[in-house]
Amino acid sequence: MNFSSQNIQVRAYLKTNNGVFRRVDELRERVDIDLSDGWQASSGDQYFKKQRENADNKDDNIEQFFHHLHLKIGRELREVGAFEVNGSSPSDVKTLQLCLAPGAYTTTVLEQYPEASVCGVTLPVEAGGHKMMIPYGSQDPRVAVEFMDITMLVGEFFADTFSIPQTHPDAQNFILKSPFADTAFDLVLCDGQALRVHERAGKKEGTEPLRLLTAQLVFGMARMKPGGTFVMLLHKADAYDTVLLLKKFCSFANVTLFKPSAGHRQRSTFYMIAKDVQPTSLEAQRCIAGWKEIWIQGTFGGENSTGAAPKDPDAAEVDALLNEFGPKLIEMAHEVWTIQTEALSHSKWLPQYLKASQSPPESFQGSSKESSSSTRRYPNSVLGQQSPLAAAQWSSSSTRHDENQSPVQKPHGPSNDKLKQMAGSWR
């Protein structure tokens, strides 16, 4: 678990004000499945450790499995309206996908807009990136891909006069070009996660996640068409950095959160879906400037000018954020925590004494905002009405959906047990 003081402060606030979060936090602490640290429950230990090994040591079968898993996730996103855009005809929709490989989300976007175009940036395989599993370039002119490390596009963060310090261990690896800078995109998809297998001279584990996050934010927002849609994979709605990011997006977009059934139910991951984004607004420009500063600090800060983590906020700053945005956060993230609680409570590897009963436990009754219905709902700004898919995804019946079931069965692929071990791991 992440025990930084600001995250402890956020969790304390949420446990006081939301019963569903109290329950999911208890389950997380008991099994400690957060990907940033170690393991506590012996069966959960082996389960999630094996997932990480599969993610790090990819063979063709595992790549194929993850591609099909992401196809399922992408279709769920499409079903809840995440790819819907305003103002462009279906044939004119332009999509930017960051960290594109293996390409499943590109496939699902083109299923919705067959005549549209997709541009993407993705880490090369030789640098630890995923294999492309879809046609692109000459094989499919609708899809244009630049193979590069998005965290090294120094030109996105500085003026042309900036001089890269030659003492920096990555001095020769920074990239000055700005791909797709002349295109305004209706839809921006950001699905990157810091890869443990991504080797680089100046890489620092403590700063890489924020460098990747801010690189995607700056690159994507600079190419966002006003009124467009911005979709981003995020981790832990109870982490201070995530809460702050959600608050900032709410200042210039209509934001909802979505947790797919495939691959994410037991994890603390979810998708932010921001509609009607106004990238040129004063609030957005302030946020972009702040994200640039975080990237610069993470890349060139510190005593040796090789990168340092940003300064932690003090308790007063965290209190101010929670007082202003806490109630909205609870409203937005309630379903995310509910789904994870349900999934963890019925995990096969969870010790029996931790499993929840079929009826909601007493700790679910902690907030007047919590829904008493067993049917999963999404905000009107995403769906406009209750979705049949949403109703199928969340039910209090004794029938459980197994997120670890293989999306396809291949005659010469890994066994079903192997596929179950793989599920839940992604880049």
Side-chain angles (χ1 to χ4, degrees):
M1 305 285 287
N2 189 337
F3 292 113
S4 64
S5 60
Q6 63 266 31
N7 287 344
I8 292 173
Q9 198 171 341
V10 173
R11 288 170 59 208
Y13 170 90
L14 293 173
K15 286 191 286 187
T16 300
N17 290 282
N18 186 263
V20 173
F21 180 78
R22 282 201 300 275
R23 176 59 176 158
V24 76
D25 190 64
E26 174 193 6
L27 290 169
R28 287 182 193 165
E29 284 190 332
R30 296 295 181 89
V31 301
D32 199 3
I33 68 165
D34 189 275
L35 291 179
S36 63
D37 277 311
W39 323 94
Q40 291 177 359
S42 58
S43 52
D45 178 356
Q46 296 303 316
Y47 179 83
F48 288 100
K49 182 177 180 181
K50 188 64 176 178
Q51 289 181 356
R52 295 178 69 169
E53 290 174 354
N54 285 327
D56 290 346
N57 302 295
K58 303 180 291 290
D59 60 23
D60 288 344
N61 284 328
I62 292 176
E63 290 278 18
Q64 186 71 21
F65 172 79
F66 287 132
H67 179 61
H68 282 280
L69 178 63
H70 281 86
L71 281 173
K72 292 176 69 175
I73 296 169
R75 286 164 183 156
E76 288 191 55
L77 285 165
R78 188 183 67 202
E79 286 291 332
V80 298
F83 300 158
E84 293 176 2
V85 298
N86 298 320
S88 295
S89 65
S91 60
D92 292 331
V93 171
K94 293 179 174 60
T95 298
L96 173 66
Q97 186 179 349
L98 306 181
C99 306
L100 183 148
Y105 297 155
T106 293
T107 297
T108 54
V109 168
L110 292 175
E111 287 174 349
Q112 183 166 346
Y113 306 111
E115 299 178 12
S117 62
V118 178
C119 297
V121 177
T122 201
L123 188 68
V125 172
E126 55 270 23
H130 289 271
K131 289 175 58 176
M132 287 290 293
M133 307 294 286
I134 62 170
Y136 61 93
S138 60
Q139 294 181 332
D140 188 345
R142 298 174 300 174
V143 182
V145 183
E146 292 277 0
F147 292 90
M148 57 181 61
D149 182 350
I150 193 172
T151 70
M152 302 302 287
L153 293 174
V154 69
E156 299 292 320
F157 304 92
F158 290 102
D160 295 338
T161 56
F162 174 73
S163 178
I164 298 171
Q166 292 306 300
T167 55
H168 195 284
D170 272 319
Q172 306 306 314
N173 297 324
F174 288 106
I175 304 168
L176 295 175
K177 65 185 297 187
S178 295
F180 316 121
D182 297 329
T183 304
F185 292 93
D186 303 277
L187 173 63
V188 176
L189 304 176
C190 301
D191 191 53
Q193 296 191 60
L195 296 169
R196 290 178 294 273
V197 294
H198 178 199
E199 297 296 337
R200 206 185 66 243
K203 179 178 177 180
K204 291 186 176 181
E205 297 298 334
T207 59
E208 283 306 294
L210 268 181
R211 290 185 67 252
L212 177 56
L213 178 74
T214 52
Q216 291 179 91
L217 288 167
V218 170
F219 190 98
M221 289 291 290
R223 293 155 177 78
M224 178 101 257
K225 182 184 294 185
T229 298
F230 196 103
V231 180
M232 189 170 211
L233 176 67
L234 295 174
H235 301 256
K236 301 195 74 172
D238 52 289
Y240 173 82
D241 289 337
T242 304
V243 177
L244 185 60
L245 176 62
L246 293 174
K247 177 182 180 294
K248 288 180 176 180
F249 259 89
C250 285
S251 70
F252 56 82
N254 299 321
V255 179
T256 54
L257 309 183
F258 174 66
K259 191 175 188 66
S261 291
H264 291 270
R265 285 175 61 84
Q266 293 179 353
R267 301 282 178 166
S268 298
T269 45
F270 63 94
Y271 286 86
M272 176 188 72
I273 303 172
K275 299 277 189 176
D276 193 23
V277 178
Q278 301 300 322
T280 59
S281 68
L282 180 60
E283 287 298 326
Q285 290 300 305
R286 286 173 176 167
C287 292
I288 294 169
W291 294 328
K292 287 184 177 181
E293 286 299 320
I294 293 172
W295 182 92
I296 292 169
Q297 172 71 8
T299 307
F300 299 109
E303 292 183 5
N304 300 318
S305 300
T306 57
K311 181 183 176 181
D312 287 338
D314 59 33
E317 291 178 84
V318 181
D319 276 338
L321 173 64
L322 294 173
N323 289 336
E324 180 180 356
F325 189 67
K328 177 67 173 177
L329 172 67
I330 289 173
E331 180 183 352
M332 293 172 67
H334 177 84
E335 287 295 336
V336 170
W337 296 324
T338 300
I339 294 164
Q340 189 182 17
T341 299
E342 174 75 358
L344 290 178
S345 296
H346 295 87
S347 299
K348 294 179 181 179
W349 45 262
L350 191 66
Q352 188 64 36
Y353 70 92
L354 291 178
K355 290 181 181 289
S357 62
Q358 294 297 321
S359 60
E362 181 180 353
S363 59
F364 271 48
Q365 311 303 322
S367 171
S368 60
K369 295 182 180 293
E370 296 168 23
S371 172
S372 60
S373 170
S374 61
T375 302
R376 183 176 177 185
R377 293 186 175 91
Y378 293 94
N380 291 337
S381 57
V382 174
L383 290 181
Q385 59 184 3
Q386 187 175 326
S387 163
L389 176 74
Q393 286 175 335
W394 176 248
S395 171
S396 62
S397 70
S398 58
T399 301
R400 307 296 167 194
H401 297 283
D402 185 359
E403 68 169 297
N404 299 329
Q405 183 177 353
S406 169
V408 292
Q409 289 192 345
K410 296 169 65 65
H412 301 293
S415 66
N416 286 339
D417 288 342
K418 178 70 171 177
L419 291 176
K420 288 182 178 181
Q421 291 175 342
M422 295 176 192
S425 298
W426 50 87
R427 68 183 178 280

